[in-house]
Amino acid sequence: MAGFDLHTHTIFSDGTTTPADNVRDAVALGLEGLGVTDHDTTAPFEAARAACEGTGLELVLGTEFSAELDGYSVHVLGYWIDPSYPPLVEELDRLRNEREHRARAIVDKFVGLGVEVTFSRVQELAGAAPIGRPHIAQAVVEAGAAPDTRTVFDTWLADGGPAYVEKHAVAPRRAVELLVAAGGVAVLAHPGLYGTAGEPGRGGDGDGRALGPGLPAEAIEEMVAAGLAGIEADHPDHPDEHRRRYRDLAAAHGLEVTAGSDYHGAGKVNPLGSATTPREVVERLRGWRHA
Ligand code: AMP
Ligand code: ZN
Ligand code: FE
Ligand code: FE
């Protein structure tokens, strides 16, 4: 399997596999490169580097950075960032702290809805990782309130759902600025999933996540002005309609089109390597550094 899977998670956020697992599986699949993009952290970098040594696999270390627009999450992938750049470190610390407050608020909402889930269990499931909604969904399943995490999202936890609590984050434009200032390259993740609170099961060939209206073009234009380099038009959960819309938008602004599996291990159905970016696109993306 050629190409780079530019979007994967590990136990350092809400994935269920270690960086070493992802590296090993990527090598076994014959991938040329692997993006390591945990939510709001650069903590997996060291383990990923160590696991990668001598394998010939090319690592693209990054983070899936949380931003928000009108109360909805916008994710921005930042590749080749300097993990010690102080303003980035500061915002990542703040975001992880914010995630903890928000998880407590979400747990309170569930309790108010009659679901007996505890914050301590959620914290146990997250371990040292920034707490994400998938950890909470798992705790809700354990509490016996739903058969699987898919149902938890569709019933309560999708953006705008009855147990949803927004996380206070910077605007998408600011996210791009920060990632670029940290020496990185910013790519808008899955814009078609923005504002997902619609009918369930209308997603693409991913996990059937509810399809949102998609991030408005004006928001993308602001990100472009801030230095956005690419759009993840080919996300597994994007239906063809969104793939086309965001490919066209990328072309109109001279941006790269990227793809990645958004692998979460057992946490989601998208298999590792199920979406890849060709090497020449990765090389062009790299050229956006300090551009
Ligand atoms: P958080 O960063 O805590 O807002 O959680 C984001 C993660 O939750 C994403 O990376 C997905 O894995 C998952 N997620 C968000 N929305 C949905 C949805 N509607 N259905 C299934 N999973 C979702
Ligand atoms: Zn995730
Ligand atoms: Fe995401
Ligand atoms: Fe992701």
Side-chain angles (χ1 to χ4, degrees):
M1 189 184 293
F4 287 60
D5 184 339
L6 284 182
H7 188 160
T8 72
H9 296 271
T10 76
I11 52 169
F12 284 88
S13 68
D14 53 8
T16 63
T17 54
T18 63
D21 291 332
N22 290 14
V23 166
R24 184 200 57 227
D25 293 350
V27 170
L29 285 168
L31 287 171
E32 293 169 76
L34 178 72
V36 176
T37 54
D38 274 310
H39 296 282
D40 303 329
T41 179
T42 57
F45 286 15
E46 220 179 281
R49 256 195 220 107
C52 206
E53 229 174 81
T55 64
L57 184 77
E58 200 171 316
L59 274 186
V60 180
L61 298 175
T63 185
E64 184 174 12
F65 188 87
S66 294
E68 71 162 86
L69 181 71
D70 298 333
Y72 288 115
S73 302
V74 176
H75 290 169
V76 186
L77 295 158
Y79 298 113
W80 301 296
I81 46 173
D82 171 3
S84 67
Y85 178 61
L88 180 66
V89 171
E90 199 178 299
E91 175 58 13
L92 291 177
D93 284 347
R94 195 200 63 78
L95 273 170
R96 287 191 297 266
N97 193 36
E98 167 70 16
R99 281 177 169 279
E100 188 178 321
H101 287 294
R102 171 200 188 220
R104 287 183 193 276
I106 292 177
V107 165
D108 287 348
K109 279 201 167 186
F110 271 113
V111 170
L113 290 160
V115 176
E116 288 307 315
V117 60
T118 65
F119 178 73
S120 61
R121 182 58 190 148
V122 170
Q123 211 168 23
E124 240 168 57
L125 289 167
I131 304 176
R133 276 179 284 167
H135 299 121
I136 304 171
Q138 197 184 332
V140 170
V141 171
E142 284 183 8
D148 49 37
T149 56
R150 163 88 270 135
T151 308
V152 178
F153 272 98
D154 288 344
T155 313
W156 296 289
L157 210 42
D159 287 25
Y164 179 70
V165 175
E166 69 183 80
K167 99 176 132 303
H168 298 293
V170 299
R173 153 179 41 81
R174 175 73 189 133
V176 172
E177 277 169 13
L178 255 178
L179 295 168
V180 169
V185 167
V187 172
L188 173 58
H190 49 66
L193 301 188
Y194 172 78
T196 45
E199 310 156 45
R202 277 199 57 215
D205 52 7
D207 63 2
R209 185 193 305 189
L211 175 62
L215 191 66
E218 310 79 74
I220 294 178
E221 274 149 30
E222 284 191 11
M223 297 175 82
V224 171
L228 186 71
I231 301 183
E232 190 187 45
D234 288 326
H235 186 276
D237 295 342
H238 276 180
D240 287 345
E241 167 200 340
H242 277 28
R243 287 172 195 246
R244 267 195 306 275
R245 184 202 299 180
Y246 293 109
R247 273 183 170 282
D248 290 352
L249 211 59
H253 291 291
L255 305 181
E256 310 301 336
V257 171
T258 72
S261 63
D262 206 354
Y263 181 62
H264 279 73
K268 251 178 111 182
V269 299
N270 313 356
L272 188 75
S274 57
T276 56
T277 306
R279 176 177 286 280
E280 60 266 28
V281 175
V282 177
E283 294 310 333
R284 284 206 303 272
L285 261 188
R286 207 196 307 267
W288 280 75
R289 291 185 75 179
H290 318 293

